[in-house]
Amino acid sequence: LAFFDAVSFQYLGCAPAGNKPEGIASTNTGKVACINEGSADNFIDNPGSMTMCDVSSSDKIKLDVACTTYHLEKKNFKAGEWLHSPAFRAQGVRLYGPNGNNVTHDLEPEGGAFTEDGKYFFTVMQDNNAYAVFDIAAKQYTTMKGLPLLSNAPADFSDKDNKINIHATTSH
């Protein structure tokens, strides 16, 4: 992650992030989160993760940046919250493909946001129809669940027919 002054474009500092950074979010209290997709690259399926940074400055010339990357794996989850793939599937987490039984390698974080009080960070895994909640003070994920299915949600489900065809159907 490289940090620059938004007005002068002056370089302020940098820190490493996880594999394939894809999204970024920040607070006004010095927290920056980078969402790292980690998806397959050639024949290696890299684990998805989230990098949490504390950013501060004492002189407005150089930033002090301290970051830690938290993979979506058992050691980074609250005790008892990490499940095996069949149990996550039963909770609506979509796990599929060659690594569908390896939860850590199948999850692909896409984006996220801090809660208004700045105590938690929600990471969304669009391809997995799931989200994970990260407790910033405890420095661990507290839960991961599938998003609900939408019944009769109006949408245009095809980009192949060259027309707008919005109708209701079950989707996810």
Side-chain angles (χ1 to χ4, degrees):
L1 298 172
F3 295 87
F4 295 87
D5 182 287
V7 176
S8 69
F9 302 112
Q10 178 181 351
Y11 171 80
L12 299 172
C14 71
N19 189 275
K20 292 189 178 179
E22 183 159 303
I24 196 160
S26 63
T27 69
N28 59 2
T29 59
K31 293 284 187 192
V32 174
C34 180
I35 300 87
N36 311 301
E37 185 177 17
S39 62
D41 184 14
N42 294 322
F43 296 102
I44 299 170
D45 197 355
N46 300 292
S49 63
M50 182 270 306
T51 302
M52 183 63 65
C53 304
D54 288 304
V55 181
S56 62
S57 176
S58 56
D59 60 14
K60 300 207 179 223
I61 295 173
K62 182 178 181 282
L63 288 182
D64 295 315
V65 182
C67 300
T68 302
T69 297
Y70 299 92
H71 290 96
L72 291 148
E73 60 188 357
K74 184 177 182 176
K75 74 176 187 174
N76 292 324
F77 271 74
K78 181 179 171 181
E81 290 298 317
W82 181 257
L83 307 172
H84 293 289
S85 56
F88 274 131
R89 282 190 191 100
Q91 292 186 359
V93 178
R94 185 171 184 249
L95 301 168
Y96 60 96
N99 282 314
N101 288 325
N102 182 330
V103 178
T104 298
H105 285 269
D106 194 62
L107 295 171
E108 295 184 9
E110 306 278 347
F114 288 92
T115 55
E116 191 173 341
D117 62 10
K119 293 181 179 180
Y120 300 94
F121 186 78
F122 279 70
T123 300
V124 177
M125 288 138 315
Q126 171 186 312
D127 295 345
N128 306 100
N129 195 49
Y131 67 95
V133 180
F134 186 82
D135 181 324
I136 295 168
K139 298 180 179 181
Q140 64 183 358
Y141 295 100
T142 60
T143 191
M144 183 170 69
K145 303 236 187 265
L147 294 164
L149 298 179
L150 302 176
S151 295
N152 297 316
D156 183 347
F157 296 94
S158 173
D159 62 354
K160 308 280 187 231
D161 57 8
N162 293 321
K163 59 184 172 182
I164 297 172
N165 183 15
I166 297 175
H167 61 281
T169 188
T170 301
S171 65
H172 43 141

